Amino acid sequence: MGDSKRIVYWLRRLSEIAMYGWLGMLLLLDLVLAGVVGGVQWLVLACSVSGIAAVVLRRRYRVEGFALMAALSFGTSLLAGWSGFDSAPGMAETGSLLILIIGVLRHVEPIRRAAVLACAGLIVLMSEASGRDYQSSGLAFAFLLFASWSTAAGIGAYLRFQQERRREAVHSVRRAERLELARELHDLVAHHITGIVVQAQAARTVAESRPEAVAPALDAIATAGSDALTSMRRMVAVLRTEDGADRTPGSSLADLRMLADRFSADGPKVAFEIGAGLDDRTLPPEVMTTLHRVLQEALTNIRKHAARTAWVEADLRRHERVVVLRVRNFGSGSDPRVSRLGGGFGLVGMAERVEALGGRLYAGPSQQGSWEVVAEFPAP
């Protein structure tokens, strides 16, 4: 999985270099054309240089760069048409404008604003064809520029569609996680309230025979109530809907070991270690449930995306003020048949759960060459 990310990174870098090389060659052709035609064509060359600068700065000044580039190009076309000098559309200028149109359609919010800017780009391109009618070839320029704009608009719209689909998928996963948390809230309430009721009944029983035992019982009830409020506050903070479905009781450390053993039975061997100072009483129920979910998702991802894993190392430890679950798989490479399908959204759901409890999640390559998932939770 780490190799796949590096390949994607270098493919993006190489495509960026190829794009700038292409614009550089078009700029050289504009320079030659300016030397042959002269006059307003030198101003067209300045538009090409400005367009390349706008492309370089497009991530920081996307709308501003596009607007300045379009205004400069449109003004040059008006000047060329009004003066009557022969001039032609700049090739680097047009290429830069098309790249900016793709970026605008893909990233600018809202979509209505992106569509307006893209249509403005079409007007600028058509003004190039009409205002720079070099040797009566304006009609041919108009056809080529419209075809180029249509292609760029189609690419930008497709990338926007894919981006919106992924955004919707991420939203659906997060909503599903909130529903899961809502179901688990029932277990948390039952867990804490049952303890409070039992202690209250015990205090009432011994009140008459041993009055001195009532005060410690009331202190325990107060502590249990405070723990219940803290646990529920963490989970309710991310809930947006209600669901009354019952679930099985919360997880325990034994459930984590059982999960690792089941995975080892029909997959790579899992070495699971629990550090000193951790037991079912030291970790809140909502943290235990989330630890179970993170471990389950991490092992599932190993089975799906790294089937050639030699072994898996998992450990749960306490470091001062944090509890850390780390899952690492060694000796594997991602299956290309799976990599082409794209990653799932399990990491999104895990991050949603961990961050809801005040923790953080990391998933990626480690310095030792393995792929690891690390979940950190505040220690109680």
Side-chain angles (χ1 to χ4, degrees):
M1 297 175 73
D3 293 339
S4 299
K5 286 183 175 291
R6 283 193 290 269
I7 291 174
V8 171
Y9 169 78
W10 282 110
L11 284 176
R12 289 179 177 175
R13 292 294 301 270
L14 291 175
S15 63
E16 192 90 354
I17 293 172
M19 180 187 69
Y20 289 133
W22 175 67
L23 290 176
M25 289 188 292
L26 294 180
L27 184 63
L28 290 177
L29 294 176
D30 285 339
L31 178 61
V32 173
L33 188 61
V36 173
V37 177
V40 180
Q41 196 65 34
W42 288 104
L43 187 57
V44 174
L45 179 63
C47 291
S48 297
V49 175
S50 301
I52 294 177
V55 170
V56 173
L57 300 174
R58 68 189 184 280
R59 291 185 176 87
R60 182 176 299 179
Y61 305 105
R62 189 174 304 279
V63 176
E64 296 85 350
F66 175 82
L68 290 175
M69 168 62 189
L72 182 58
S73 179
F74 187 73
T76 301
S77 299
L78 292 180
L79 179 61
W82 174 76
S83 64
F85 287 108
D86 273 346
S87 62
M91 285 178 277
E93 171 193 14
T94 302
S96 300
L97 193 57
L98 293 173
I99 293 172
L100 293 174
I101 288 173
I102 293 175
V104 162
L105 282 173
R106 182 180 182 183
H107 296 291
V108 172
E109 298 288 351
I111 184 64
R112 183 182 304 173
R113 185 185 184 193
V116 170
L117 292 175
C119 292
L122 176 61
I123 294 174
V124 171
L125 290 173
M126 292 300 99
S127 69
E128 290 184 17
S130 60
R132 308 177 198 178
D133 190 9
Y134 184 70
Q135 295 183 358
S136 301
S137 55
L139 183 61
F141 283 146
F143 175 79
L144 291 175
L145 291 176
F146 180 78
S148 300
W149 177 87
S150 300
T151 303
I155 294 173
Y158 175 76
L159 294 175
R160 180 63 170 259
F161 172 71
Q162 293 295 330
Q163 184 172 283
E164 292 295 332
R165 282 187 60 189
R166 177 169 180 82
R167 186 178 302 168
E168 181 62 28
V170 169
H171 175 73
S172 298
V173 170
R174 287 177 174 168
R175 183 175 181 274
E177 288 298 330
R178 292 188 179 106
L179 288 171
E180 195 78 8
L181 289 170
R183 297 187 183 103
E184 291 169 3
L185 184 58
H186 173 271
D187 297 332
L188 282 176
V189 173
H191 172 81
H192 288 291
I193 298 303
T194 299
I196 293 173
V197 170
V198 169
Q199 294 181 61
Q201 290 174 341
R204 183 177 181 181
T205 301
V206 301
E208 296 180 359
S209 59
R210 297 176 56 195
E212 70 279 1
V214 174
L218 293 177
D219 291 338
I221 291 173
T223 301
S226 177
D227 292 342
L229 289 174
T230 301
S231 299
M232 287 186 288
R233 189 180 299 115
R234 288 174 179 172
M235 300 189 72
V236 172
V238 295
L239 299 179
R240 296 295 183 269
T241 186
E242 296 181 357
D243 187 70
D246 290 332
R247 286 176 51 83
T248 57
S251 301
S252 64
L253 294 179
D255 294 325
L256 298 181
R257 290 191 180 279
M258 189 179 300
L259 179 63
D261 293 340
R262 285 202 303 266
F263 182 85
S264 299
D266 56 355
K269 298 301 179 183
V270 180
F272 184 54
E273 182 179 355
I274 299 176
L278 291 176
D279 55 43
D280 294 336
R281 294 171 296 178
T282 59
L283 295 176
E286 69 275 13
V287 172
M288 289 299 306
T289 303
T290 304
L291 284 171
H292 187 276
R293 182 61 181 272
V294 171
L295 180 61
Q296 182 181 45
E297 186 67 34
L299 295 178
T300 300
N301 283 342
I302 292 172
R303 178 171 291 152
K304 289 171 57 179
H305 301 297
R308 295 188 295 272
T309 294
W311 79 95
V312 180
E313 184 180 282
D315 58 79
L316 178 65
R317 301 183 184 277
R318 180 167 184 162
H319 303 281
E320 295 182 357
R321 298 183 178 180
V322 296
V323 176
V324 180
L325 173 66
R326 187 188 308 270
V327 183
R328 291 179 287 186
N329 58 292
F330 296 85
S332 67
S334 60
D335 191 335
R337 294 172 297 177
V338 175
S339 300
R340 284 195 295 268
L341 298 177
F345 297 92
L347 292 177
V348 176
M350 286 195 291
E352 183 80 8
R353 282 173 168 262
V354 174
E355 291 169 7
L357 301 178
R360 67 185 185 94
L361 181 81
Y362 167 78
S366 66
Q367 296 180 351
Q368 294 77 21
S370 63
W371 179 269
E372 65 177 6
V373 175
V374 181
E376 295 184 0
F377 301 88

